[in-house]
Amino acid sequence: MPGVDEQAAPRVPDDVSDVVVVEGHAQSYQGNVHEELKVVLVLDSGFTVRRRGTTFRAAPGQLVVLHADDAHSGGPDGSGPARWLIMCVAPSLIAEVAAPDIVRFGDPVIRDDGGLADRFRAAHGSLYGPAGRPGSALTRETGVLDFVAALARRAPDVAGEVRGTGAARRAPEVVREYLRAHLTRNVTLDELSVVAGVSKYRLVRVCTAWFGLPPHKLHLRLRLDRARELLRRGSAIAEAAYATGFHDQSHLTRVFAGAYGVTPAVYQATFRGMAWTGRAPR
């Protein structure tokens, strides 16, 4: 099918279920929010990330670390071909070596990596190897844990600076879970303020600081994320639109293409059957 990069389909190793790996053509995207830690290595091109009004540029071969819950846009520099390696690590696996909230970087580009890129390549490559051989699960998961531990040691502790204390500290998680539970509803700021236990003004400030998005834009991103999951599981586009609060299939298609650079139909053709179940338990 034209426009579909079959090699770019995400893979979930049978024996390391809390990790997803991707290898394929690098693509541009806008306003992504994800729950997992995402590490990107772009080959044959530089890479630009835009987050919170700031632009960051990575040279070819530099790691880009995109922590959970922070909206960002990005894409390869130039018009020539570029490939990327991506590893998405669930909070449940990060928690084995560090508190997931501390693996956050003000500058997502790791400029002096001290061998981290080589560790990343080794861990990523091992996850593409055949599973089921004696010792393969231990080798693969240990490699991922070693990489995440090395990455965590480089991360500044900025979580406390962003979240504050008391109800404001809990607000981002409370709001995210409430919005996820009400994807098809027109949730109000008054409603969220009561649920989170903070003023509307404080709620907007805390959510924008933590996610890089105000609550209404976060809600849209969560709806799109759920739509992607449904499409990967094989739902019809119209069904995915209905289940995520869009007016109809054309509405979802328009918003989806604006966010991800591909239509739901192309996305589904690429990623069908690749839904990830490696999220941390709720």
Side-chain angles (χ1 to χ4, degrees):
M1 176 177 180
V4 174
D5 180 7
E6 296 294 345
Q7 290 184 319
R11 302 185 186 183
V12 182
D14 293 338
D15 47 10
V16 191
S17 61
D18 282 352
V19 178
V20 173
V21 287
V22 178
E23 179 177 356
H25 295 296
Q27 301 175 350
S28 297
Y29 59 89
Q30 293 186 10
N32 277 12
V33 176
H34 40 79
E35 298 177 37
E36 67 275 6
L37 177 74
K38 182 176 291 186
V39 184
V40 183
L41 181 67
V42 178
L43 309 173
D44 306 317
S45 171
F47 193 72
T48 296
V49 176
R50 293 175 296 279
R51 188 180 68 185
R52 301 172 184 263
T54 302
T55 298
F56 305 91
R57 286 189 170 86
Q62 285 185 318
L63 290 174
V64 179
V65 181
L66 302 164
H67 55 69
D69 298 334
D70 204 2
H72 57 89
S73 303
D77 297 335
S79 57
R83 297 187 66 78
W84 58 16
L85 308 179
I86 300 175
M87 182 188 299
C88 302
V89 185
S92 55
L93 192 146
I94 298 172
E96 297 289 338
V97 298
D101 285 350
I102 74 168
V103 188
R104 302 174 70 88
F105 293 82
D107 183 343
V109 181
I110 308 299
R111 303 184 186 281
D112 181 14
D113 67 19
L116 272 177
D118 291 337
R119 289 194 187 202
F120 174 81
R121 283 176 179 266
H124 189 281
S126 75
L127 295 170
Y128 271 87
R133 296 175 302 175
S136 64
L138 291 174
T139 300
R140 287 139 72 96
E141 190 162 13
T142 298
V144 174
L145 288 171
D146 284 347
F147 168 73
V148 173
L151 188 63
R153 288 194 292 269
R154 298 181 59 91
D157 184 6
V158 299
E161 298 176 15
V162 175
R163 283 198 174 186
T165 60
R169 180 179 180 84
R170 297 187 298 273
E173 182 176 356
V174 171
V175 167
R176 181 184 60 208
E177 295 308 309
Y178 190 82
L179 291 176
R180 183 182 289 118
H182 298 87
L183 292 178
T184 62
R185 285 192 48 232
N186 187 23
V187 178
T188 68
L189 199 56
D190 283 324
E191 186 178 346
L192 281 180
S193 176
V194 171
V195 170
V198 297
S199 70
K200 291 187 286 185
Y201 175 74
R202 180 63 172 156
L203 176 67
V204 172
R205 285 177 59 88
V206 168
C207 284
T208 302
W210 188 250
F211 297 110
L213 294 172
H216 68 285
K217 290 187 177 180
L218 173 63
H219 199 198
L220 176 60
R221 287 297 154 181
L222 292 173
R223 291 163 59 202
L224 285 169
D225 193 51
R226 174 61 175 159
R228 287 194 298 172
E229 181 181 348
L230 292 172
L231 292 171
R232 291 195 300 267
R233 291 183 182 275
S235 295
I237 297 173
E239 293 173 352
Y242 177 78
T244 51
F246 291 93
H247 298 313
D248 50 30
Q249 178 173 331
S250 63
H251 184 205
L252 172 61
T253 296
R254 184 171 65 255
V255 177
F256 193 100
Y260 303 122
V262 296
T263 65
V266 171
Y267 180 88
Q268 186 172 59
T270 305
F271 298 122
R272 184 186 295 273
M274 292 295 177
W276 181 27
T277 59
R279 291 176 177 168
R282 304 193 199 289

